[in-house]
Amino acid sequence: MPNSKTRRDRARDFPMKQVVTKAAAGHATDNVFAAAHGRLPGSGLVAHIRTRAFEAYERAGLPHRRIEAWKYTDLRTLIGAVLPLAPRPDAAALVRAAASVKQAGADRVVKLVLVDGIFAPELSDVDSLEDGVDVRSLREVLEDTTDGAMAGLVLATTTDAVITLNAAMATDGLVIAIAEGEAVKRLIQIVHVATGSLVSNFTRSYLQLGQGAHAAVVESFVSAEGASGYQTNDATIALVGDEACLSYIRLAADAADAVNISSGIIVVGARAKLDLFSMTCSGSVSRYQGFVTLAGEGSKLSANGVNLIRHKQHVDTTMVVDHAVPHCTSREKFRAVIDECGRSVFQGQIVVRPGAQKADATLTTRALLLSDEARADNKPELEILADDVTCGHGSTSGALDGSLVFYLRARGLSEKDAQALLIGAFLGEAIEEIAPENLRDLVTAQAEHWMQARR
């Protein structure tokens, strides 16, 4: 079925009221863009790309429920307008950020830190980068007037309004190139730290793996003490070369009242492998949208995700996997646990292009509702334009099995402990797909912390 819900989900499918007009949303962002213009890196071609991107965004405004891809996440209703750009972090902000980086850092990684949308080399492990790994800040690339082709590539836009807005407003990010055949031993962790309140951060990163290269990258979103009510708009563009292997993990643990809209645009080459994992466990409004194109024959994708939702959180995962050529494989598994008045949205689309024969794709999404007020909207889709394929999808929503909870309580566990044990088992199938052991342990620890907060 394209949309599987429990009875309690269907009963709450009321229409969302649109409270901000397109003109108002565009005007609010116009003021933000004009105010930030002098702080945005790049001139000449870069400035022209930014202006064109903003004009395209202005014509569309913030996405709303009349756009099919955003029907469950109406940003005009949920956030209303784009906040002013965060100021450049001062010394005090960097000190607060350093404490958050220490807490968020995984073991045995090379950390690259962005504070309020600006690369902070003093908090990063730049000297620990291995041979064959080149890292530059986006600001450096955009201000290099001799490399217009790279500037145009990293500021690429799409028809999606938030990605276009990101191209117009990005203040900084990272450009990472891994040489052909290089097997990067240490994980690369990009840490985004927000220190301000009622401001917005725009970052964009570009990752390129040469032919036969292997690397693992984890991207973390955290907040410093005192940060609240901020908005984050991040975009990552990745090119995975032929026979290369990339593990990419995204962990969002923003402030409780923050907004995080992140986009990933990834192209996978021939006989290459991409392992994706995304987890959101905090924030008021969150959306991760991934656009993966399997562009080379024999490429493989494994995509998994976990969303842990409570209070009145709204968390959206949207994935589009494009089988553009024959003999490609994709496996997708997503889990959501929703408590109190939280809302989970999952939209997954598998596209098989004409001529992409022998495509092998499966997609499953499951939502676990822990209260009568919890809500889940699941929409898996198949668009198959070839005739020799193996494709399938499934979607379920439901509550914990009462008999299992009773069984565990009869053996001495409290109700919350019994629920935590069952929730851990529910999430385990997705989390176990994470290959690097230290990252798997980091994700498991964050999930356990979320479950502890319920007790």
Side-chain angles (χ1 to χ4, degrees):
M1 292 186 297
N3 192 359
S4 179
K5 304 180 184 178
T6 64
R7 183 175 60 187
R8 65 167 69 116
D9 298 325
R10 291 193 296 269
R12 281 184 293 279
D13 278 345
F14 51 87
M16 299 177 70
K17 182 179 179 182
Q18 186 172 328
V19 296
V20 180
T21 66
K22 173 179 173 180
H27 178 69
T29 310
D30 187 11
N31 294 336
V32 171
F33 183 74
H37 193 266
R39 290 190 50 216
L40 301 177
S43 59
L45 175 62
V46 172
H48 176 70
I49 293 173
R50 288 190 186 277
T51 301
R52 293 289 299 272
F54 171 72
E55 290 171 350
Y57 167 79
E58 191 177 30
R59 288 191 292 269
L62 282 170
H64 51 85
R65 64 186 178 89
R66 294 178 184 173
I67 300 173
E68 181 64 24
W70 291 86
K71 65 183 294 185
Y72 299 113
T73 303
D74 187 333
L75 292 188
R76 295 186 186 179
T77 299
L78 292 170
I79 70 173
V82 179
L83 294 172
L85 193 65
R88 190 176 186 88
D90 56 18
L94 292 174
V95 170
R96 292 164 53 219
S100 298
V101 171
K102 186 176 181 179
Q103 293 178 355
D107 295 331
R108 305 183 302 278
V109 301
V110 176
K111 293 187 293 295
L112 303 172
V113 181
L114 295 159
V115 180
D116 295 333
I118 303 296
F119 178 54
E122 59 269 48
L123 300 182
S124 303
D125 302 324
V126 179
D127 294 336
S128 300
L129 292 168
E130 300 173 31
D131 294 338
V133 180
D134 179 67
V135 174
R136 292 185 289 168
S137 70
L138 177 69
R139 176 174 291 271
E140 178 186 350
V141 170
L142 297 183
E143 291 179 344
D144 182 359
T145 57
T146 64
D147 198 357
M150 174 61 78
L153 182 61
V154 298
L155 288 184
T157 62
T158 70
T159 56
D160 185 89
V162 297
I163 297 177
T164 301
L165 178 62
N166 179 278
M169 297 284 291
T171 53
D172 211 343
L174 295 165
V175 177
I176 303 173
I178 300 175
E180 290 187 10
E182 186 69 29
V184 182
K185 297 179 179 62
R186 296 182 65 185
L187 282 72
I188 299 171
Q189 183 178 19
I190 303 171
V191 185
H192 299 258
V193 187
T195 70
S197 298
L198 300 179
V199 292
S200 62
N201 305 307
F202 290 86
T203 51
R204 177 172 287 223
S205 295
Y206 178 83
L207 174 63
Q208 183 170 18
L209 270 70
Q211 181 175 352
H214 290 67
V217 177
V218 57
E219 192 166 15
S220 302
F221 296 85
V222 296
S223 62
E225 184 179 358
S228 65
Y230 58 85
Q231 298 173 356
T232 293
N233 183 323
D234 176 68
T236 299
I237 300 171
L239 302 181
V240 184
D242 294 348
E243 300 175 353
C245 180
L246 172 64
S247 293
Y248 176 80
I249 294 101
R250 174 186 175 273
L251 304 175
D254 290 284
D257 57 355
V259 174
N260 187 316
I261 309 297
S262 297
S263 306
I265 304 170
I266 307 175
V267 179
V268 185
R271 301 173 301 284
K273 184 179 181 182
L274 172 64
D275 293 326
L276 278 179
F277 181 86
S278 174
M279 183 170 82
T280 298
C281 58
S282 191
S284 174
V285 177
S286 177
R287 174 174 166 118
Y288 175 67
Q289 48 180 19
F291 305 92
V292 180
T293 301
L294 303 178
E297 290 196 30
S299 58
K300 296 181 179 180
L301 165 68
S302 174
N304 301 274
V306 167
N307 289 329
L308 303 173
I309 307 165
R310 58 194 181 103
H311 302 317
K312 294 184 179 180
Q313 285 179 264
H314 180 109
V315 180
D316 179 337
T317 298
T318 295
M319 287 289 299
V320 179
V321 177
D322 187 347
H323 287 249
V325 296
H327 301 284
C328 294
T329 302
S330 64
R331 297 287 183 267
E332 300 177 71
K333 290 188 290 234
F334 292 87
R335 303 288 184 265
V337 181
I338 312 106
D339 200 2
E340 301 174 89
C341 299
R343 183 180 184 185
S344 168
V345 174
F346 176 80
Q347 300 180 104
Q349 184 179 28
I350 297 172
V351 180
V352 180
R353 299 291 177 182
Q357 308 293 356
K358 302 297 182 181
D360 185 353
T362 60
L363 164 64
T364 60
T365 174
R366 298 173 62 191
L368 183 60
L369 299 104
L370 302 181
S371 77
D372 290 338
E373 289 74 35
R375 179 175 178 182
D377 294 283
N378 297 327
K379 191 180 74 168
E381 300 177 83
L382 298 176
E383 182 179 342
I384 300 174
L385 304 175
D387 55 12
D388 185 7
V389 302
T390 303
C391 296
H393 63 67
S395 172
T396 60
S397 299
L400 284 172
D401 188 329
S403 63
L404 292 178
V405 174
F406 177 80
Y407 175 85
L408 293 172
R409 294 197 65 189
R411 275 142 185 82
L413 294 180
S414 68
E415 183 173 2
K416 291 294 186 180
D417 286 340
Q419 290 180 353
L421 193 62
L422 295 174
I423 293 169
F426 174 77
L427 300 176
E429 187 179 2
I431 293 177
E432 286 301 318
E433 295 291 333
I434 301 174
E437 184 178 352
N438 54 337
L439 288 184
R440 189 164 62 245
D441 292 342
L442 179 65
V443 171
T444 301
Q446 290 197 5
E448 290 175 350
H449 178 75
W450 183 88
M451 289 185 280
Q452 282 280 22
R454 296 186 63 242
R455 300 181 185 180

